[in-house]
Every structure is written in structure tokens, then in C-alpha cells.
Amino acid sequence: RKEVEQDPGPFNVPEGATVAFNCTYSNSASQSFFWYRQDCRKEPKLLMSVYSSGNEDGRFTAQLNRASQYISLLIRDSKLSDSATYLCVIPGFQKLVFGTGTRLLVSP
Amino acid sequence: GAGVSQSPRYKVAKRGQDVALRCDPISGHVSLFWYQQALGQGPEFLTYFQNEAQLDKSGLPSDRFFAERPEGSVSTLKIQRTQQEDSAVYLCASRPDRFSTDTQYFGPGTRLTVL
């Protein structure tokens, strides 16, 4: 089993929709988690950090379920500018372990 | 302020050529990382430096890959006798290491195409 697994998508949603991505991880000892955003042909950029049960930042909510070992990212009121790949990331020992990413396409 | 910079941004090499990829981390950042991102995949860890010391090179796929950071700032990733499977984006990241919650800041990457 991969350390971090994500549905690659793409998720096609209209503007204003709510969309959620899930990510499962295999290392039950993991304490912190990240969601990174990567635009086409650009570098990954940190979107949210999750250290406890969850985190909320505006339209974005990240939730952590330790018992089931999954992290979710919820995006409300989707904007065209939200179109990107969303990478689930688990910190390893002095490195980041990335999922394959979930591609989101928001259409007018 | 200035972010992580990488050069060249694009590199085309013929199979068998050697290439050198450069990373300039954010000034003062202690840790430096190299990742390889194949098309449609997430970045995969290659190697990690703390200052000039290479503390982890477990992700380097073969002995054709070599990385150095001799003065604890700029780093170079060298790939010898390139193969088509080396085609990928090579991302460099740096981290300040002031706090345990510090994260990594990525450069724009070097897109390597091996023909």
C-alpha cells in the first residue's frame, strides 16, 4: 500500500459548487498533515496545515480522521481560480511524502 | 523577498549526456531538499541537506544521481549518462528550521527532457 493515496480525478464542478477530496495514509503515527496546491507547470504551494482534528481557512476546510486514517479537503463556493491539482502531503522524517494529487477543474 | 530559484528552467538532453541542475535556496534556510516529479505524479523525495551535510540520499534512484551543497547554500543535482526515464521536473525546496512547524518552500523546478 502506498504511504499516501488520493483519487487522481479530475473532478469537474461548476462555479459555486462544493467539492471534497479525500486522502488516505498508511502511517498511523503521522501527527501532522498538509494540503498543497499545484497549478499547471508551477511549483507546489502550501494551502493548509492540519495538526489536530481539522483546520478552516475561508472557503477551505481540512478535516482529519485518525481512526480511519484519512484527511479530507472541502472547498465551498468554488471559483474558477480554484482549478489546480491538490496534493495531500504527510511529513516523513525530514522529508515530505506526497500523494499523486487530485485535479480539480472548475467551469463557468 | 526572493524565493527559491532554480536553473535552468528547461533542459533537453540526449540520452547518455550528463546534466547539472542548480538550486538557490532562500537566504538563511538551513535545510534543502530535492524532489523528482514525473508527469501525473506527486513529487518524490530524492535527497536532503542540512547546511552542507547530505543527511539522507535514500531517494536517489541510482548511482547516476549525485547531489552536493558544498558551502551550505547553493546546491547542484547532477545526473550522469541520462536515460529517458530521468525525464521529469526536478524540484528544489528549502526550509528555515527556526521552528518545528516550518514547512518547505519550493522553487519553480527544472523540466528535464531526455531524448
Side-chain angles (χ1 to χ4, degrees):
Chain A
R1 181 183 175 186
K2 284 189 174 182
E3 289 187 72
V4 184
E5 295 199 62
Q6 294 182 254
D7 180 343
F11 284 59
N12 291 282
V13 302
E15 267 187 296
T18 296
V19 61
F21 313 131
N22 281 341
C23 164
T24 58
Y25 61 95
S26 60
N27 185 357
S28 58
S30 297
Q31 294 296 310
S32 58
F33 309 87
F34 303 113
W35 282 101
Y36 273 71
R37 170 191 169 130
Q38 186 171 29
D39 292 292
C40 188
R41 293 180 173 266
K42 299 286 189 180
E43 71 273 24
K45 291 185 178 178
L46 180 65
L47 177 66
M48 296 186 76
S49 305
V50 186
Y51 295 107
S52 56
S53 60
N55 191 9
E56 184 172 331
D57 183 5
R59 297 183 295 109
F60 298 83
T61 300
Q63 291 189 315
L64 168 62
N65 184 319
R66 291 189 188 276
S68 301
Q69 292 182 217
Y70 79 80
I71 315 126
S72 63
L73 178 67
L74 181 78
I75 305 175
R76 290 180 296 275
D77 188 23
S78 299
K79 311 291 184 190
L80 294 177
S81 57
D82 294 335
S83 296
T85 296
Y86 292 84
L87 295 158
C88 177
V89 184
I90 313 293
F93 182 70
Q94 299 294 1
K95 66 182 180 184
L96 298 177
V97 180
F98 288 81
T100 56
T102 298
R103 192 167 171 213
L104 172 65
L105 299 172
V106 182
S107 53
Chain B
V4 179
S5 60
Q6 293 186 245
S7 61
R9 292 293 312 280
Y10 302 91
K11 177 68 180 178
V12 178
K14 290 183 179 178
R15 189 163 57 92
Q17 281 185 332
D18 297 349
V19 298
L21 313 180
R22 176 187 169 107
C23 172
D24 285 80
I26 295 171
S27 178
H29 278 201
V30 172
S31 292
L32 185 145
F33 305 81
W34 284 98
Y35 293 84
Q36 180 191 57
Q37 186 171 22
L39 190 63
Q41 302 295 315
E44 293 202 0
F45 170 80
L46 293 176
T47 188
Y48 154 64
F49 290 86
Q50 188 177 79
N51 297 306
E52 69 278 3
Q54 188 175 21
L55 299 186
D56 187 347
K57 53 182 180 179
S58 62
L60 296 176
S62 77
D63 58 8
R64 297 186 296 104
F65 286 71
F66 171 77
E68 59 183 6
R69 193 187 186 197
E71 297 178 359
S73 55
V74 172
S75 177
T76 304
L77 176 67
K78 297 179 180 178
I79 309 173
Q80 296 177 322
R81 305 181 302 282
T82 52
Q83 304 294 315
Q84 285 189 323
E85 61 263 28
D86 299 336
S87 295
V89 175
Y90 290 85
L91 294 162
C92 176
S94 69
R95 189 180 69 193
D97 290 354
R98 293 165 301 178
F99 306 103
S100 62
T101 53
D102 280 344
T103 188
Q104 300 178 20
Y105 296 85
F106 284 83
T110 294
R111 183 174 298 271
L112 173 66
T113 303
V114 182
L115 303 176

